[in-house]
Structures are given as structure tokens and as C-alpha cells.
């Protein structure tokens, strides 16, 4: 009786781990395919971002043009998108671990249960 409860408990636990890992795989894959858009608009970046840069001669500061600000903003948004994709790839790899590591344990204990049921 206790052995049977133990088998069912292990099966339940490993099944829950694999379901959680599968959900993580799906979420990471969706983040890779369609990452979240950058949260800050160009107007906010211009208002709060660095509109000025130090003068190379060391005297005062130079105000950046809209083209330079837009280039900096686009570069920052692209790097953030790339960072999100890299994080999602890392998460995808870890989620596959949550599916693949419990799988052999689940199969082994399922066979043990099937063998006990036949007896």
C-alpha cells in the first residue's frame, strides 16, 4: 500500500514538473518569436534622456540634435529587444531541463506501477 502511494506521488510530482516546464517552454518560445516592445517612447527619452553631451574641448556641453537623439534611442531600443530575446533563449533552455530531467523518472515509475498492476 505504501509503495503504491509512493509510486503515485512520484508520478504526480514528475508530471507536474513536466507540465510546468512545458508551460515555460511555450512562454519562452513566444518571447523569442514576439518580444515585448520597448516601454519608453521617443518623446519620453528626449525629455528624460541625455539631450546634452559633454563638449570634447572640455568647455560646457553640446545639445544633441533630434537625429542624434533618434539614433541613440533606436540603438537603445534594439539592444533592449536583443537582450529580451537572449533572456528568452536562456529561459527556453532551462524550461527544457524541467521537461527532460523528470521524463526518465516518470517513465521508470510508470513502468513500475504497470508491473505492480499486472501482479
Amino acid at each position: 500500500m505504501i509503495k503504491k502511494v509512493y509510486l503515485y506521488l512520484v508520478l504526480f510530482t514528475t508530471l507536474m514538473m513536466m507540465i510546468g516546464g512545458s508551460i515555460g517552454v511555450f512562454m519562452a518560445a513566444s518571447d523569442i518569436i514576439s518580444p515585448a516592445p520597448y516601454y519608453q517612447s521617443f518623446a519620453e527619452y528626449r525629455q528624460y534622456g541625455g539631450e546634452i553631451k559633454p563638449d570634447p574641448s572640455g568647455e560646457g556641453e553640446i545639445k544633441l540634435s533630434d537625429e542624434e537623439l533618434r539614433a541613440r534611442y533606436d540603438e537603445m531600443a534594439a539592444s533592449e529587444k536583443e537582450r529580451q530575446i537572449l533572456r528568452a533563449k536562456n529561459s527556453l533552455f532551462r524550461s527544457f531541463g524541467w521537461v527532460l530531467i523528470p521524463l526518465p523518472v516518470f517513465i521508470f515509475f510508470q513502468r513500475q506501477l504497470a508491473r505492480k498492476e499486472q501482479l
Side-chain angles (χ1 to χ4, degrees):
M1 174 69 178
I2 294 177
K3 286 183 182 182
K4 206 170 200 177
V5 170
Y6 174 74
L7 288 175
Y8 280 116
L9 184 62
V10 170
L11 285 171
F12 177 76
T13 304
T14 55
L15 183 63
M16 289 297 111
M17 291 169 71
M18 290 188 302
I19 290 172
S22 299
I23 292 169
V25 165
F26 179 77
M27 289 173 44
S30 68
D31 284 343
I32 290 171
I33 293 169
S34 176
Y38 188 64
Y39 62 91
Q40 187 179 33
S41 69
F42 177 67
E44 291 171 339
Y45 178 76
R46 185 182 328 139
Q47 182 179 0
Y48 299 113
E51 276 191 20
I52 51 178
K53 66 179 181 181
D55 189 3
S57 65
E59 302 173 4
E61 299 170 333
I62 299 174
K63 188 166 186 163
L64 295 174
S65 68
D66 275 348
E67 294 82 26
E68 290 174 317
L69 277 174
R70 174 58 86 174
R72 282 186 173 189
Y73 172 77
D74 290 341
E75 181 181 327
M76 184 177 61
S79 69
E80 179 63 27
K81 184 176 180 179
E82 184 63 31
R83 190 175 12 261
Q84 285 181 1
I85 291 173
L86 288 175
R87 254 188 250 124
K89 287 179 182 177
N90 186 325
S91 177
L92 180 69
F93 181 72
R94 285 185 279 135
S95 295
F96 270 127
W98 279 99
V99 174
L100 296 177
I101 291 170
L103 183 62
V105 176
F106 180 81
I107 292 170
F108 175 77
F109 278 93
Q110 187 178 22
R111 287 183 181 167
Q112 293 288 329
L113 183 65
R115 200 174 306 145
K116 291 205 184 276
E117 297 270 330
Q118 288 177 355
L119 295 178

